[in-house]
Amino acid sequence: MDTRNIMIVGVGGQGSLLASKILGYLILNEGFDVKVSEVHGMSQRGGSVVTYVRYGDRVYSPLVDEGEADVIVSFELLEAARWMKYLKSGGQIVTNTQQIDPMPVVMGVEEYPENLVEKMRDKGAKVDALDCLKLAEEAGNIKAVNIVLLGRLSHYFDFSKDAWMKALEANVPAKLLDINKRAFDLGFKAGGK
Amino acid sequence: MKQLMLGNKAVARGLYEAGVCFASSYPGTPSTEVTEELAKYDDIYSEWAPNEKVAMEAAFGASLAGRRSFCGMKHVGLNVAADPLYTMSYTGVNAGMVIVVADDAGMHSSQNEQDSRHHAIASKVPMLEPSDSQEAYEFAKLAFELSEEFDTPVLLKMCTRVAHSQSVVESGERVLPEKKPYEKNIQKYVMAPANAIRKHPVVEERTKKLIEYGCTKNVNRVEMGGTETGIICDSTSYQYVKEVCGDSVSILKIGLVNPLPDGLIKEFASKVEKLIVVEELDPVIEDHCKALGLKVSGKDILPITGEFSRNIVAKALGIEEHKGTALDEKLPVRPPAMCSGCPHRGLFYTLKKNNCTVLGDIGCYTLGSAAPLSAVDTTLCMGASLSAVHGFNKMGGKETEHSTVAVIGDSTFMHSGMTGLANIAYNQSNSVSIILDNSITGMTGHQQNPLTGYNIKGDPAGKIDLEALCRAMGFNRVRVVDPYDLKECDRVLKEELAAEEPSVIISRRPCVLLKYVKKNPPLKVDRDKCVGCKSCMKIGCPSISLKDGKAHIDATLCVGCGVCEQMCAVNAFSAT
């Protein structure tokens, strides 16, 4: 198969590294070649962060470039909009509707943009938006936003629910597994594609 | 077993299987995880050293004692360790020694974009460059073989995209070589002039043999794909070339980047009509090709700055770039910021309030330069704050010494701040030196250091008494403040700025991200009390924003540090 490109974007500290770890593990188990490229260090301190996941028969570049992403998964609404130009024509955005003010907004110098979901749709992007924070709270831990989003994301892959659960079990600490399984289910069931 | 592995973890696996017994490093993005992964193996001695020079010399000692040794660092760390490196090139090793250096093209987490390949060339030390995790694993093992076969330390060069990308690795088992007995050999190990003069020609001979090695072994490999275009590339550039061109061009993939394989390059060039070098940062391979008299294209079509990508390489080769669609409006940027509850915030606010000139250093606190605090005037390299404040005040005199401070983190102070502080104590500039002691090496992701009292495995270790150290250096004025207490910070800062002798302020509170640090419940704002004056927003806390004219706290971020509360004149903040 042709290489499929996924981007996981968000704000440093939101748990995108765990999400990419689970996804990478799953894809490898499904028998594909896979590369996952992460951001560590300074950018992690509340900055805009991106993780690239590429898989297929043989993957070379570890990066996804502009106009190449099949799916952009975003932990935060503004970040979905920021990285949208990386989406390929007809590509899918799956985004948390949570808004985290960046420093220029915190300082009152700029406004948080309004109606971003509509604006992205106007530009031709398919957008699946849901309030993951609320669902994470419902699952029992607001930190499980990343797993809620994975549950949602699973609709855009041909992998079985069972395979997703195995990946979750292998990468989440045992004592947090129940909460994370609940979070995944809530994300999974939150409406159709 | 096939596993998805971070490049740095793959290096660690390779080193482990090759029988490494000793690892000493100083953390630095993007190199840190190699040592962190090695520390997970119980049959390897591992440690965080105070700096890269100490780490490399310690690894030298371990090699001398007969065990395979390793040290790791980021590109700028190799500058610190350059002194031992250049002479270890002459002494060579006993058991094998591998040095991992990780470059940061694109400067994701660095102060410059230097190309470590220059250090390899200048020190005449062989350098291997992997292009993915599998190769990182294999080259780590190969590096030890080369080290012992050619009697030299070997550099293994990573870059951010290899170090921090996960790809599939098939790993094996550990093989522990016999311990090599240490034998006294003054001609080999004492680099006094008489011995070094005899050693230099040996190094040159070694380089010739390594060139021959690179021409005949598959560390450098040719993938023929027609005679029209030939591309020479190394590291991740190989991946981008394959992504863009597939098998439609011929490729000479360089794995041993120093010394370069002259014969192989010439032979490859003779088989193709057009020769292009695709390499990130400086034209190292390209210039070498030109010195061999070859007509070659490279930096005339490719950037010399930043990371490459599929599109950048495609554009250079005249192939269509992929394009996407952006929103029409300009979106607010999201730069990294000090975390909610970061202990540095209160101190930096105090410095800003007192209009201080702040000579800064390397660490999370570099973020103190960002708006709205904008409290840092300079950032150069590890330790430079303390050395520079001395020079600044020596020339500034009364005009600067009562309004200027140096700020340096605890780990950075141990790394290379002590000598700068010694200079202040010795040559007596009237300087205020502030040590931001958050009890951890923060920016690189929480590594222990000689001031924390714990070792790399988290076990109790030696602990240097910072106050006693400063006093022993000759400072009469050593003050300790809690940066969450704004009034106290302000009072102490004013006193020390006014003093007529050098002083040290230790701003002490553990990093809020440390697991053992107890977080308070988030604060909340009483909207009836809040007058919307924005005083609380002067500290630049990501948890606080303005909603409908009143302060609002994001309960998912706030850790209840209470600094904002101290900014509020109408007591609008309270615990939830």
Side-chain angles (χ1 to χ4, degrees), chain B residues 16 19-22 38-46 174 176 457:
Chain B
Y16 171 74
V20 72
C21 289
F22 181 92
L38 284 174
K40 292 176 185 169
Y41 295 108
D42 284 334
D43 35 0
I44 299 174
Y45 172 81
S46 55
R174 176 169 166 96
L176 183 65
K457 291 183 187 277

Side-chain angles (χ1 to χ4, degrees), chain B residues 180-448:
Chain B
K180 293 192 171 186
Y182 166 67
E183 283 164 22
K184 186 162 177 160
N185 186 343
I186 290 174
Q187 282 76 32
K188 178 167 161 59
Y189 294 124
V190 179
M191 282 304 103
N195 295 332
I197 285 166
R198 277 193 286 270
K199 267 292 192 175
H200 188 181
V202 175
V203 171
E204 299 303 326
E205 274 308 306
R206 180 179 77 203
T207 298
K208 282 184 194 157
K209 285 179 194 153
L210 278 158
I211 292 171
E212 184 56 27
Y213 178 95
C215 289
T216 52
K217 306 287 180 176
N218 64 357
V219 65
N220 303 311
R221 69 168 189 265
V222 174
E223 298 171 11
M224 286 308 286
T227 56
E228 195 183 324
T229 305
I231 296 178
I232 305 178
C233 50
D234 61 350
S235 189
T236 44
S237 300
Y238 167 78
Q239 307 292 355
Y240 303 131
V241 168
K242 288 297 279 186
E243 186 76 31
V244 172
C245 304
D247 301 329
S248 68
V249 295
S250 288
I251 293 173
L252 168 54
K253 185 194 168 297
I254 300 291
L256 182 63
V257 73
N258 186 58
L260 284 163
D262 294 349
L264 186 62
I265 290 173
K266 283 191 214 161
E267 190 194 332
F268 180 71
S270 72
K271 287 182 185 162
V272 295
E273 288 163 38
K274 192 167 73 175
L275 190 64
I276 302 170
V277 175
V278 180
E279 59 187 323
E280 282 182 343
L281 301 179
D282 295 342
V284 170
I285 301 172
E286 180 186 349
D287 285 351
H288 191 87
C289 289
K290 284 177 178 164
L292 292 175
L294 299 171
K295 190 168 174 288
V296 62
S297 189
K299 293 299 166 188
D300 51 333
I301 54 171
L302 280 152
I304 195 166
T305 60
E307 280 186 295
F308 285 175
S309 68
R310 185 259 166 213
N311 273 350
I312 287 170
V313 172
K315 190 182 172 193
L317 300 178
I319 293 163
E320 198 191 345
E321 292 168 79
H322 294 150
K323 290 225 166 62
T325 311
L327 292 190
D328 299 325
E329 65 193 279
K330 195 179 153 284
L331 300 171
V333 294
R334 191 187 301 274
M338 281 192 266
C339 307
S340 293
C342 175
H344 299 322
R345 179 172 286 108
L347 196 274
F348 277 115
Y349 171 72
T350 308
L351 294 175
K352 184 186 164 86
K353 200 178 133 200
N354 284 280
N355 285 319
C356 288
T357 300
V358 179
L359 302 186
D361 225 295
I362 304 286
C364 286
Y365 46 94
T366 307
L367 294 170
S369 64
L373 290 168
S374 309
V376 174
D377 289 67
T378 65
T379 297
L380 192 61
C381 63
M382 298 285 281
S385 59
L386 297 175
S387 324
V389 76
H390 172 79
F392 194 73
N393 284 338
K394 278 289 181 190
M395 289 300 99
K398 295 279 174 217
E399 280 174 35
T400 63
E401 61 191 34
H402 296 301
S403 59
T404 304
V405 302
V407 293
I408 183 165
D410 51 334
S411 188
T412 309
F413 177 71
M414 277 293 127
H415 178 281
S416 48
M418 285 192 288
T419 41
L421 198 65
N423 194 35
I424 293 172
Y426 171 45
N427 287 309
Q428 289 283 302
S429 60
N430 186 15
S431 298
V432 176
S433 305
I434 303 179
I435 301 171
L436 306 166
D437 181 5
N438 65 351
S439 310
I440 203 74
T441 314
M443 179 63 86
T444 45
H446 288 176
Q447 292 76 30
Q448 305 293 342

Side-chain angles (χ1 to χ4, degrees), chain A residues 40-113:
Chain A
H40 299 221
M42 182 177 252
S43 326
Q44 276 181 292
R45 300 279 173 267
S48 171
V49 293
V50 56
T51 304
Y52 308 93
V53 181
R54 309 190 70 220
Y55 69 100
D57 296 333
R58 177 76 166 92
V59 179
Y60 290 106
S61 166
L63 300 180
V64 178
D65 225 321
E66 268 186 44
E68 291 188 337
D70 294 276
V71 182
I72 294 177
V73 193
S74 181
F75 285 58
E76 200 273 350
L77 194 55
L78 174 60
E79 294 311 310
R82 187 187 313 287
W83 294 95
M84 195 187 86
K85 65 173 180 238
Y86 282 76
L87 199 65
K88 71 166 58 152
S89 171
Q92 177 74 45
I93 292 175
V94 182
T95 184
N96 183 5
T97 53
Q98 188 185 350
Q99 300 187 3
I100 300 175
D101 290 345
M103 201 41 75
V105 175
V106 169
M107 287 159 56
V109 184
E110 288 180 61
E111 301 269 325
Y112 195 102

